[in-house]
Amino acid sequence: MIAGNAEEEIDELKQQDGDGIGIVGSGTLVRSLLDYGLLDEFVLNVHPLVLGDGKRLFEDVGERNALNLVDSKTFDSGVISLTYQPAKTDVEEADE
């Protein structure tokens, strides 16, 4: 559990050895990590099902963040799994 500053604590966790950090079902936390530049990969599973009026994945708050599609899979059930990574900025590309 994160008791203090989420940005600092998650950045510390990412520096440690071990597997990646997974988040299931928290759009608010995912959006925060994306805004902090701490999200390395975003997997979105789209199910062929419509319920009610629908719900926005992210609220209309914060900055827009460009994502690059790096993988996609389609399953027999009709579920599509899309894997995105944050797009690099011009500064990040120049550093490479």
Side-chain angles (χ1 to χ4, degrees):
M1 301 225 6
I2 296 173
N5 181 302
E7 180 180 6
E8 291 174 4
E9 290 195 36
I10 291 173
D11 189 41
E12 282 183 34
L13 284 173
K14 287 182 60 165
Q15 304 307 317
Q16 297 175 13
D17 290 335
D19 293 332
I21 302 167
I23 302 166
V24 178
S26 178
T28 303
L29 179 57
V30 168
R31 181 66 205 194
S32 295
L33 296 178
L34 190 58
D35 288 344
Y36 295 146
L38 295 172
L39 186 73
D40 297 320
E41 187 173 87
F42 180 73
V43 179
L44 177 65
N45 291 319
V46 181
H47 294 258
L49 177 67
V50 177
L51 296 173
D53 295 331
K55 181 179 178 184
R56 294 186 68 87
L57 183 58
F58 295 115
E59 307 262 335
D60 288 330
V61 295
E63 295 181 25
R64 287 185 169 213
N65 299 91
L67 300 171
N68 291 327
L69 181 66
V70 295
D71 190 28
S72 65
K73 297 175 187 155
T74 302
F75 298 94
D76 291 339
S77 63
V79 172
I80 301 171
S81 181
L82 305 167
T83 303
Y84 293 95
Q85 292 177 344
K88 293 183 179 180
T89 64
D90 293 336
V91 173
E92 291 172 325
E93 289 177 357
D95 289 341
E96 289 184 353

